[in-house]
Amino acid sequence: LVIYFQNVKSYNAGMLTALSNRIGDVALLLAIAWMLNYGSWNYIFYLDMMKNNIEMMIIGGLVMLAAMTKSAQVPFSSWLPAAMAAPTPVSALVHSSTLVTAGVYLLIRFNDVLMNWWMAQFLLLVSGLTMFMAGLGANFEFDLKKIIALSTLSQLGLMMSILSMGFYKLAFFHLLTHALFKALLFMCAGSIIHNMKNSQDIRMMGSLSMSMPLTCSCFNVANLALCGMPFLAGFYSKDLILEMVMLSYVNVFSFFLFFFSTG
């Protein structure tokens, strides 16, 4: 679906998406094949028993690599803004709320293996840098869909980093609220792009609140909910995450990354 529109930009984006996700697919297949040694793939019963097992650590490392590519963390994060060459409904369903949160969900399932090892600290650093880079890069972007994609990347970094600190239920809660409002944001963006005669440049868009009041109202509500406006749904997940960061034992660098990225 990334190469749905047949031009050079879409072909390059599709090639980048395919090759980046190949790494995660290979890591996932290796983890599945290695888990065959345990006699079953019903890993949810094994996690407590095999926390200190070196094979389970290798499986956990492979699963973390797969989740970092699927969920577009920092070495592999370039494919998510490039995949915005897809049509907007595809972006609304796949690249905002479902496909890119599969890695987060996988790590929520494997969170016991992740915790008592250096992987969690590494993941905290990488996802904090992802959150920082996406939030900083979205300020200098002119393409409407790429701005929303970078916002998705920032929220994914937030979920991954709070997950690597051990609060997996908060990560899942934020995944759900983010999925709903980010899909709404993409639908409003698709409506705006359609009414702009397929121009995605935000420098061409002005006084939309006069010409499209309902779309802009929904856009504003979704945007404020993702920003963490008080008494909207994103507030309850995002500010709970930040409160847990403040109550936890993190160093100054992680603290700065969290709060500067959120700002």
Side-chain angles (χ1 to χ4, degrees), residues 42-116:
N42 207 348
Y43 58 90
I44 209 79
F45 300 122
Y46 300 157
L47 291 181
D48 279 341
M49 181 189 76
M50 297 188 306
K51 271 181 186 176
N52 303 315
N53 202 349
I54 184 67
E55 287 90 358
M56 202 61 188
M57 285 182 180
I58 293 173
I59 287 175
L62 288 171
V63 165
M64 198 184 83
L65 179 65
M68 276 171 58
T69 54
K70 286 294 173 194
S71 214
Q73 297 303 299
V74 109
F76 315 108
S77 63
S78 58
W79 69 266
L80 185 59
M84 287 300 117
T88 314
V90 178
S91 305
L93 283 173
V94 176
H95 295 125
S96 72
S97 41
T98 51
L99 182 139
V100 289
T101 53
V104 180
Y105 188 72
L106 198 63
L107 285 187
I108 287 173
R109 285 295 197 182
F110 274 88
N111 69 327
D112 283 337
V113 182
L114 208 64
M115 268 310 112
N116 55 354

